[in-house]
Amino acid sequence: MNAIVSSLVVGGLLASGVSAAKDADKMTTLPGYAGDLKSTHYSGYIPTGSLSGVAGQLHYWFIESENDPSSDPVVLWLNGGPGSSSLIGLLTENGQIATNDQSLTEPIDGVPQVFYNPYTWSTKANMIYLESPKGVGFSYCTDAKSSSECVNTDESTAQDAYEFLVNFFNEFPEYKSNKFYITG
């Protein structure tokens, strides 16, 4: 799995930088995916740490519902762990795109293929895949000199998740009134 994600990142899949500016995080194409995406995708970073005292950037991937984004629920997906990237859920469980045995054996322009997942939860929900806590996946502590200095507790992880959600819904205010669920 890590080789696939690393190759996709090298291919330009994930937005870079630390800005949660909605337009900058919008993905219009997806290396390794043949055709148009079934709905709008966003991938980027949202700052956290003012509550927990440890500054950082939490990486998210947001996929709008294929059905009716304006009224479908918003679902926050958190993979288990501690320390499991939610991109695993996106790429192997319930995401709109998925990897399979052909992903590495039949790459497109050197990038592993990803395929449409007909069982995706995004057929009926807006999905947020959050890499939490800081230090997991592409999320990171901004002041840490090494990954060992990026320390999280249950309390700081909850504070950062809360702050992420506040900042996320400030960037995507059109979803504030939708039903909201947390799962993983």
Side-chain angles (χ1 to χ4, degrees), residues 86-124:
S86 289
L87 293 184
I88 294 170
L90 186 151
L91 293 169
T92 66
E93 297 177 70
N94 56 34
Q96 190 180 80
I97 55 172
T99 57
N100 65 24
D101 291 341
Q102 294 175 301
S103 294
L104 293 175
T105 59
E106 299 175 23
I108 298 174
D109 296 327
V111 177
Q113 276 194 77
V114 290
F115 303 90
Y116 177 74
N117 175 8
Y119 307 106
T120 177
W121 290 12
S122 67
T123 58
K124 299 289 182 187

Side-chain angles (χ1 to χ4, degrees), residues 132-154:
S132 174
K134 295 180 297 258
V136 170
F138 296 106
S139 295
Y140 61 94
C141 293
T142 53
D143 297 332
K145 293 180 179 78
S146 69
S147 59
S148 64
E149 291 183 19
C150 190
V151 177
N152 302 285
T153 64
D154 288 344

Side-chain angles (χ1 to χ4, degrees), residues 16-58:
S16 62
V18 295
S19 171
K22 186 173 165 179
D23 291 338
D25 292 351
K26 185 175 182 178
M27 300 166 60
T28 56
T29 62
L30 185 62
Y33 185 80
D36 295 328
L37 297 169
K38 302 286 184 186
S39 64
T40 305
H41 291 223
Y42 297 86
S43 178
Y45 291 92
I46 291 185
T48 63
S50 61
L51 296 174
S52 67
V54 179
Q57 300 284 331
L58 290 184

